Amino acid sequence: MNIAILSRNPKLYSTIRLKQAGEARGHKVEIIDHMKCVLFIEKKKPVVLYQGRRLDYFDAIIPRIGASVTFYGAAVVRHFEMMKVFTAVESQALIRSRDKLRSLQILSRAGLDLPKTIFMDYSRDTEGILEAVGGAPVVIKLLEGTQGLGVVLAENEKAAQSVIEAFHGLHARIIVQEFIKEARGIDIRAFVVDGEVVGAMRRQATRKDEFRSNLHRGGVATVVKLTRAEKSAALKAAKKMGLGVAGVDLLPSDRGPLIIEVNSSPGLEGIEGATKVDIAGKIFHYLEKNALKKKIQKDRVNA
């Protein structure tokens, strides 16, 4: 099959591994910078143009869309969908996953456990906000933050008020969440592909004063076996978000696993390093199964 990896950086570990895995399975794999794609729109003839070429020969795509370019990246994915190309991550699922508030609303409606969360429109009622999530300390997050950026732990009410006012002064949208003390700087990343958990790792903050366990912030990853509750929560979260490939982040708590985020472009380096599982190969197995079905359907329509 002809497969495109939509990535702005061909030197990233995840991009390199996906290309290697695809070529090892006999596929022709190209890395396409989605920000350099041009979307041609005509009645019933959508086409993606790239460096003077028509990208009308791909059987499947693997979107690796950065958070800062979600809007255009999703538009490119949607264009390929209009061209009947199978995508590992659908455009609407990508958009849903990048909207932290919408994601939490979807997961809450599905009955999944989450940290208590407040979203407000520049409210000055700091005391009421803190009381609603169980009091200080609290975690304050930018709605657009990724990889632990834009996430602050406010130890007391005064600190929380200062942080909230500072973000509001920048006209930044934020959410306030309860701090899960018993997690002790630990979270769990479950990697889901096609309705199956193919790998899981425990991430631990390395500094005692650091509550964020993200690997980009210096966290350490080790392989972990999920409990039945953790596995069930991860699978349900990925399904409700409509993601065939997802990284589901959970916090261990006294009331069971709490979902903190569902990532539509999860990195491969940490999970493959911790589990020694060929996650990239699992993603291509998912593509092979589904892209072939779509290709047969497409050929029947064109016959």
Side-chain angles (χ1 to χ4, degrees):
M1 291 194 301
N2 291 310
I3 297 172
I5 301 171
L6 303 184
S7 173
R8 300 187 70 188
N9 189 349
K11 296 180 180 180
L12 288 177
Y13 176 92
S14 297
T15 304
I16 293 170
R17 277 290 297 121
L18 287 167
K19 192 172 192 298
Q20 289 174 342
E23 291 175 343
R25 297 171 78 97
H27 302 298
K28 184 177 180 181
V29 183
E30 289 185 57
I31 299 171
I32 301 293
D33 184 346
H34 42 280
M35 295 307 292
K36 294 181 180 178
C37 288
V38 176
L39 308 183
F40 181 76
I41 303 170
E42 187 182 8
K43 182 180 179 180
K44 295 185 178 181
K45 291 182 180 180
V47 176
V48 177
L49 305 176
Y50 183 73
Q51 296 179 342
R53 294 183 290 138
R54 296 167 64 94
L55 301 184
D56 54 4
Y57 51 88
F58 286 118
D59 300 300
I61 60 171
I62 304 175
R64 301 291 304 176
I65 310 296
S68 63
V69 294
T70 297
F71 178 82
Y72 195 78
V76 174
V77 174
R78 188 161 53 246
H79 224 65
F80 276 111
E81 290 171 343
M82 292 168 63
M83 294 163 61
K84 308 302 181 185
V85 176
F86 180 77
T87 174
V89 177
E90 294 182 357
S91 58
Q92 285 305 306
L94 171 63
I95 292 170
R96 279 195 298 267
S97 71
R98 289 291 162 74
D99 186 332
K100 282 190 175 68
L101 178 61
R102 188 179 180 191
S103 296
L104 292 173
Q105 289 172 327
I106 291 170
L107 297 173
S108 172
R109 184 174 59 192
L112 287 155
D113 287 325
L114 312 162
K116 295 175 184 176
T117 303
I118 289 285
F119 175 70
M120 80 297 290
D121 186 20
Y122 307 125
S123 172
R124 294 184 179 275
D125 182 20
T126 307
E127 185 177 344
I129 290 168
L130 297 184
E131 183 179 342
V133 297
V138 295
V139 178
I140 303 170
K141 298 180 180 180
L142 283 171
L143 281 179
E144 296 81 16
T146 60
Q147 298 177 348
L149 297 172
V151 181
V152 179
L153 175 63
E155 297 278 3
N156 52 57
E157 184 176 339
K158 185 175 181 180
Q161 183 173 355
S162 296
V163 173
I164 292 171
E165 288 178 354
F167 278 136
H168 283 176
L170 296 171
H171 300 288
R173 300 289 184 180
I174 61 172
I175 57 176
V176 179
Q177 289 185 324
E178 68 173 314
F179 176 61
I180 309 301
K181 184 178 180 180
E182 61 266 28
R184 300 186 303 278
I186 295 171
D187 75 7
I188 294 169
R189 161 66 62 86
F191 207 107
V192 178
V193 179
D194 195 20
E196 178 186 356
V197 175
V198 296
M201 62 180 173
R202 166 177 155 163
R203 301 182 296 191
Q204 171 80 59
T206 53
R207 298 200 329 257
K208 290 184 179 180
D209 61 341
E210 177 60 82
F211 73 101
R212 296 168 297 180
S213 58
N214 305 71
L215 301 186
H216 288 85
R217 311 239 60 80
V220 176
T222 55
V223 66
V224 68
K225 184 177 181 179
L226 298 182
T227 65
R228 183 177 297 180
E230 289 165 346
K231 183 177 180 179
S232 175
L235 292 175
K236 188 173 182 179
K239 182 178 180 180
K240 291 301 179 180
M241 294 297 295
L243 290 167
V245 176
V248 182
D249 295 339
L250 308 104
L251 281 178
S253 80
D254 292 341
R255 61 182 189 266
L258 307 176
I259 295 177
I260 51 176
E261 187 174 4
V262 183
N263 195 317
S264 56
S265 295
L268 301 182
E269 186 171 8
I271 193 75
E272 288 195 335
T275 65
K276 310 305 178 187
V277 174
D278 179 13
I279 303 293
K282 300 282 188 183
I283 293 173
F284 270 90
H285 178 71
Y286 169 54
L287 286 184
E288 289 162 355
K289 183 177 73 172
N290 290 277
L292 182 59
K293 290 180 183 177
K294 196 147 195 169
K295 183 176 174 60
I296 292 172
Q297 293 171 352
K298 185 177 179 181
D299 290 342
R300 284 176 179 172
V301 171
N302 294 332

